[in-house]
Amino acid sequence: MTFPKLIGASAIALTLGLAACGDQAAIKSETNVETPAVVETVRKITKDDKFTYANYDQIQTTHLDLDLDVNFDAKVLDGTATIDFKRINPEVDEIVLDTKDLLIKAVGVKRGENWVPAEYSLGEDDELLGQKLTIPLAEDATKVRIGYRTSPEAEGLQWLSPEQTAGKKYPYLFSQAQAINARTMAPVMDTPAVRITYTANLRTPPELIALMSAEQDPYTPRDGDYSFRMDQPIPAYLLAIAAGDINFKPINDHIGVYSEQYILDASAKEFEETPLMEGANERLYGPYRWGRYDLIVLPPSFPFGGMENPRLSFMTPTLIAGDKSLTNVVAHELAHSWSGNLVTNSSWRDAWLNEGFTSYVENRVMEDLYGKDRAVMEQALGLADLKRDIAGAERPELTQLKLPADIAHPDDAFSQVAYVKGQFFLMFLEERFGREHFDPFLKDYFNTFAFESVTTEDFITYLHDKLHVNFPDALTREELNEWVYEPGLPDTAADPQSDAFKNVETQSAAWLNGDVKAADIKTADWSTHEWLHFLNGLPELNEAQYAELDSAFSLTGTQNAETAFAWYMQAIKGGYEPAFAELDKFLMSVGRGKFIYRLYDALKSNGQADMANMIFARAKAGYHPIAQRRISSVLGN
Ligand code: BES
Ligand code: ZN
């Protein structure tokens, strides 16, 4: 939460008490405690983000101004970052920023009207955290300016050569700052606990367009000189940049799509219901607060399905299926405009506050627009993924919503636990309190904590104060603690029942029993969801059975990336070699982590380590640095 903050004493006591005694979320027992009137007190900022060097309990950055050349020849961003700050501790005599693989050229401090050179120091290089940049501050210091250059190997930036783009004529750059790669783009306090506004000037070759997660004119002339401003305070992980031969197509007056020309019309068509999603979100949780909402469809090496960069979600082209079957990812990234971007987890241990809330909101929006059946199918697919992640967890603590303090890497916070267990926890609360109470409660939560960063305990306290006190019998403290602080999936979790999926299961069983031929399975009306449920539910088959499915449904080489992924996972499990050439192509052309990490992992654990290594050797240069690192670790090299 940002500083300073007026807060009820009981809330403080509750929050501190939770941390101190380990008896977290003292919900029910607190109901009878006499609550003193709100006292003027200041919430102590505790540093609970271990993935930053920043001294943000002493001083916080407030504004970032970037002035950068986008140098495609050297594959670097080169220029200055000017930073405003506010002192939390008036005596603070230095500011500590995060950097990783940055070449620091010079540092200045503004004292009164003058800029003076600063005696900065750079700490030791840590493989995960990078280097701390410490700048001494005199009492009258008001700003710092850092001259710097990024590295061509910066994990947060992918530089594509013209040959790696669809147009083949111009290079392309895009960033991915979440979770802790903003520090490879600029010196920042790289923790979600600190928010900044930002402005930027970028210079590119004049044929290219540059975009950022900020206000910009979609019809700006191509002149290689672009300016941006983000007036709403955001955490550093939402800094984003893309540059390339990018075109724009409007969907309505404040929503549109950017992409390379080859996929622009198809993207605008695929995402044409985004305005309806925005409407559904606003009906539930109040106005969209960010001005424009645009989507950019990136090159296929983008390592995620989507990334909620404010005003400009970054999307994988694998969503362009032609039938809008994968647009829940748009609903998801848009929903982050409330859960995550407006109200932000204050450390990655609380990632479920971002991703679980967003998965919940996403699913509510899908239900609102497309009906209960689709929403329930998506819940059931998510639940199956969650069960897989819980079963495969390295240690049980990683299946708690509130993650332990000793998670090794922020990536560990983004399993299906944060997403689906988080979503199912909110579904549980919705069910217990009733939609009529839970919806307005969530809306108030987003408004109350707008532009702040919160912990799990802040949410629990708010839930207690605003809802549970009024309905003390809705749930017990034990039920709540189990959801938030214990591993696994509680028995109180919903069990989504889909008639469509039952039909799939019946037909699948009939085929597996030999009662019907694959070609007789009635798949004509199946959505992608039903296909996924069918494929994911298959046991290991024999060669003839794989071949029968493949010839009946042309699964190998299918253009829907989700279906292709599900099929190749089965093909790897059963050693169905006729699919391998297309699997190879898929791995060479798609860089979305959700697919490729598991495909490489499955190859390795099903006796195909050599094939995995050979494909990776060829594909690696085309993958995003984030994906390169993850796959190297999957393959153990
Ligand atoms: N914020 C995430 C992507 C992310 C997570 C980036 C962790 C870096 C670290 C984004 O909102 C997301 O969750 N994307 C999902 C789609 C969603 C429908 C589950 C994805 O990429 O698959
Ligand atoms: Zn998300």
Side-chain angles (χ1 to χ4, degrees):
M1 208 173 296
T2 41
F3 175 96
K5 168 109 188 115
L6 301 182
I7 183 168
S10 68
I12 291 186
L14 181 56
T15 310
L16 298 180
L18 297 179
C21 63
D23 180 16
Q24 292 116 332
I27 262 233
K28 241 190 164 173
S29 62
E30 286 290 316
T31 47
N32 297 325
V33 172
E34 206 190 306
T35 310
V38 173
V39 288
E40 274 214 21
T41 172
V42 159
R43 156 98 55 136
K44 187 170 172 326
I45 294 173
T46 43
K47 274 183 70 173
D48 65 352
D49 183 354
K50 67 170 215 170
F51 299 114
T52 180
Y53 290 118
N55 55 341
Y56 65 97
D57 55 340
Q58 304 291 313
I59 184 169
Q60 294 190 356
T61 52
T62 54
H63 183 79
L64 169 69
D65 179 55
L66 292 171
D67 187 53
L68 297 171
D69 288 326
V70 182
N71 183 336
F72 282 96
D73 295 328
K75 300 190 172 169
V76 298
L77 303 174
D78 192 349
T80 60
T82 306
I83 294 173
D84 297 8
F85 46 78
K86 64 179 180 208
R87 292 175 171 81
I88 311 272
N89 170 3
E91 324 263 79
V92 67
D93 60 2
E94 62 183 26
I95 185 165
V96 181
L97 303 172
D98 295 297
T99 77
K100 192 175 183 186
D101 297 330
L102 298 184
L103 175 77
I104 306 295
K105 298 195 276 192
V107 177
V109 176
K110 191 169 188 196
R111 301 180 58 178
E113 288 310 302
N114 305 316
W115 283 96
V116 276
E119 298 282 327
Y120 66 93
S121 68
L122 264 179
E124 239 171 72
D125 196 1
D126 179 88
E127 166 147 14
L128 176 63
L129 301 181
Q131 288 178 285
K132 79 154 82 162
L133 171 62
T134 307
I135 306 171
L137 293 180
E139 249 175 67
D140 59 351
T142 55
K143 284 176 195 272
V144 294
R145 175 170 295 157
I146 299 128
Y148 76 100
R149 193 162 75 204
T150 62
S151 155
E153 274 78 49
E155 187 168 296
L157 297 171
Q158 188 177 15
W159 299 86
L160 298 174
S161 65
E163 303 72 52
Q164 290 173 305
T165 67
K168 309 273 180 238
K169 260 181 93 177
Y170 299 104
Y172 201 109
L173 163 70
F174 67 88
S175 68
Q176 171 57 46
Q178 198 184 15
I180 55 167
N181 280 326
R183 66 192 69 181
T184 70
M185 296 157 57
V188 288
M189 289 193 158
D190 200 1
T191 167
V194 175
R195 308 178 87 92
I196 48 171
T197 53
Y198 81 89
T199 42
N201 282 302
L202 298 181
R203 284 167 299 278
T204 69
E207 305 80 21
L208 305 187
I209 287 279
L211 301 167
M212 291 192 81
S213 53
E215 188 176 334
Q216 56 214 319
D217 173 8
Y219 298 104
T220 187
R222 274 186 198 227
D223 58 6
D225 192 350
Y226 305 102
S227 353
F228 308 89
R229 57 183 308 124
M230 171 48 83
D231 289 331
Q232 291 100 327
I234 57 161
Y237 78 86
L238 293 176
L239 282 172
I241 164 172
D245 182 10
I246 298 168
N247 296 286
F248 175 76
K249 184 162 182 172
I251 293 178
N252 71 11
D253 63 348
H254 68 285
I255 299 179
V257 184
Y258 292 94
S259 74
E260 279 194 84
Q261 191 60 47
Y262 83 103
I263 204 171
L264 188 61
D265 289 337
S267 301
K269 184 87 194 127
E270 197 83 20
F271 298 154
E272 69 185 352
E273 287 166 13
T274 307
L276 301 177
M277 293 177 172
E278 186 194 43
N281 244 311
E282 291 189 317
R283 280 195 296 283
L284 283 165
Y285 305 118
Y288 176 77
R289 302 204 196 199
W290 304 86
R292 292 194 58 86
Y293 180 70
D294 295 315
L295 300 143
I296 177 168
V297 178
L298 290 163
S301 62
F302 179 57
F304 293 97
M307 175 64 213
E308 66 272 25
N309 297 316
R311 302 179 70 114
L312 183 66
S313 288
F314 282 24
M315 310 304 276
T316 168
T318 60
L319 302 177
I320 314 304
D323 60 0
K324 304 190 173 84
S325 59
L326 308 177
T327 57
N328 69 298
V329 181
V330 178
H332 181 96
E333 304 316 332
L334 175 64
H336 271 304
S337 308
W338 287 261
S339 44
N341 299 4
L342 195 58
V343 181
T344 307
N345 52 213
S346 60
S347 87
W348 301 116
R349 286 180 69 190
D350 299 301
W352 80 274
L353 291 176
N354 273 17
E355 297 301 347
F357 273 69
T358 299
S359 299
Y360 172 81
V361 172
E362 164 203 332
N363 197 250
R364 290 293 305 272
V365 167
M366 295 309 283
E367 178 189 326
D368 194 51
L369 296 185
Y370 306 109
K372 194 98 193 158
D373 290 350
R374 178 162 177 180
V376 169
M377 287 194 286
E378 290 179 0
Q379 288 166 13
L381 289 170
L383 184 60
D385 287 344
L386 171 62
K387 288 181 175 165
R388 187 199 65 230
D389 274 13
I390 288 179
E394 257 170 51
R395 54 194 179 108
E397 293 83 356
L398 295 179
T399 69
Q400 296 164 193
L401 286 181
K402 177 77 180 193
L403 288 164
D406 63 349
I407 48 170
H409 194 287
D411 287 354
D412 296 346
F414 292 90
S415 75
Q416 295 301 307
V417 171
Y419 287 86
V420 184
K421 186 178 176 182
Q423 173 192 352
F424 275 66
F425 173 45
L426 297 181
M427 286 163 56
F428 162 76
L429 294 177
E430 177 203 311
E431 198 246 319
R432 289 297 180 88
F433 290 109
R435 254 187 200 185
E436 67 282 23
H437 304 297
F438 194 64
D439 287 354
F441 160 77
L442 270 196
K443 185 179 191 174
D444 288 345
Y445 167 78
F446 292 134
N447 283 327
T448 303
F449 296 103
F451 300 108
E452 295 189 27
S453 300
V454 299
T455 62
T456 296
E457 288 66 35
D458 292 324
F459 171 68
I460 301 291
T461 302
Y462 193 75
L463 175 73
H464 166 69
D465 292 351
K466 298 294 171 187
L467 202 52
H468 198 228
V469 281
N470 303 327
F471 305 97
D473 299 329
L475 75 160
T476 67
R477 172 178 160 180
E478 288 70 29
E479 287 174 322
L480 187 119
N481 278 348
E482 186 188 3
W483 271 104
V484 178
Y485 297 106
E486 286 176 29
L489 185 67
D491 293 339
T492 49
D495 187 15
Q497 298 295 325
S498 159
D499 293 340
F501 280 6
K502 286 199 188 103
N503 172 272
V504 168
E505 287 156 28
T506 311
Q507 296 205 69
S508 177
W511 174 65
L512 288 166
N513 286 336
D515 299 342
V516 297
K517 297 251 159 288
D520 296 328
I521 303 177
K522 293 187 182 53
T523 59
D525 298 333
W526 280 8
S527 63
T528 302
H529 304 80
E530 285 150 300
W531 275 110
L532 295 178
H533 187 62
F534 174 73
L535 293 170
N536 293 341
L538 290 175
E540 196 172 321
L541 307 174
N542 61 42
E543 166 99 26
Q545 287 173 307
Y546 288 111
E548 190 193 350
L549 284 182
D550 209 4
S551 88
F553 306 121
S554 306
L555 291 163
T556 299
T558 175
Q559 288 310 296
N560 184 304
E562 290 278 356
T563 319
F565 164 69
W567 173 242
Y568 298 144
M569 286 298 286
Q570 293 298 338
I572 294 168
K573 188 167 78 180
Y576 175 61
E577 290 184 11
F580 286 4
E582 286 296 329
L583 165 63
D584 187 323
K585 268 199 216 161
F586 187 86
L587 289 169
M588 289 296 294
S589 57
V590 173
R592 184 175 173 189
K594 171 183 166 184
F595 301 143
I596 64 177
Y597 306 156
R598 286 190 54 215
L599 287 169
Y600 279 108
D601 191 38
L603 282 170
K604 188 181 168 198
S605 37
N606 284 278
Q608 301 287 356
D610 288 348
M611 177 177 162
N613 284 311
M614 268 165 48
I615 299 177
F616 183 48
R618 270 186 281 121
K620 186 173 177 184
Y623 290 152
H624 191 281
I626 292 175
Q628 294 187 9
R629 173 175 58 75
R630 291 284 289 264
I631 297 163
S632 294
S633 116
V634 164
L635 298 180
N637 52 35

